Amino acid sequence: MERPEIPLWPRRDVRFIDSHMHLDPPEDISGVARSVSSEAVLVVCGVDRRTSEGAVAASAAYPWTVYPFVGLHPSEAEKDKDLSWIAPMLELAKGLGEIGLDPSYSPTGEGSAQLNAFRFQLQAAEAARVPVQVHSRGAEAQVMEVLGSFRTGPLLMHWLESEDVLPAVVRRGYFVSFSPALLYSKKLQRLARRCDPAFTLVESDSPVAYAPLGGVHGPALVPSVAFGLAEIWGISPVEAISVTSANALRYLGADSKG
Ligand SMILES: [Zn+2]
């Protein structure tokens, strides 16, 4: 399959980048595109075949706005054991995700569908050398162990919650992203304080809704996350937006192009 001609980074006026979100339903990009300023860039992740196709289709419709990532989420691993679509679809995408391990959905031990899918997809990412987005909730140590045997492109630990693995995450040069939960979670605020600002990104994980913030959701929350980081790091909000956007471009491999 041929990679479509999507300009990698044509814009110099970008204000913020939502580094991790999903379309819901996968066909509906119009609402998301309307809900944010035209300067936003959205990294849209798949969780299964249908949503991965949706992310690729959304980038064809909005090439200046959408960076499509494709992959099989840990929640879907038991439902879809046919992984043959992943490598060809990766050819049409900018990266692999959302992939990972999460014992709250199904087992993650040796021989499990989750672990097989995670390893299979990391192999594909190794071959394609694309950026990867990893979900690690409740399996952080195991995820770090598995990742240790693969050489992928730049790696993002999306919505990382474990302080235990943070030293290894920093040592390996993985990126970490914060969701709007940063604005009320003391644990995430502690984590952010220990993160390297040069490897920190911001995300909405849309369509996740944040009850403590009144049930809001969507990429328009992303500047607020950067403002939260600004407070924690003791820098200005504008600086925080600019730093996290530059980090996202580096992560996406788009910082030297366009
Ligand atoms: Zn997600």
Side-chain angles (χ1 to χ4, degrees), residues 15-18 35-37 40 178 180 182-183 202-204 218-231 236-238 240-242 244-245:
R15 284 209 286 239
F16 70 86
I17 300 175
D18 187 344
S35 76
V36 296
S37 86
F178 287 90
L182 173 77
L183 301 173
V202 286
E203 61 163 280
S204 71
L221 291 171
V222 161
S224 304
V225 185
F227 284 22
L229 288 172
E231 213 159 81
S236 75
V238 171
I241 297 236
S242 144
T244 51
S245 293

Side-chain angles (χ1 to χ4, degrees), residues 115-134:
L115 189 54
N116 289 344
F118 189 35
R119 286 202 180 115
F120 181 90
Q121 294 182 94
L122 286 169
Q123 247 160 31
E126 207 169 45
R129 284 288 187 182
V130 288
V132 180
Q133 304 226 349
V134 177

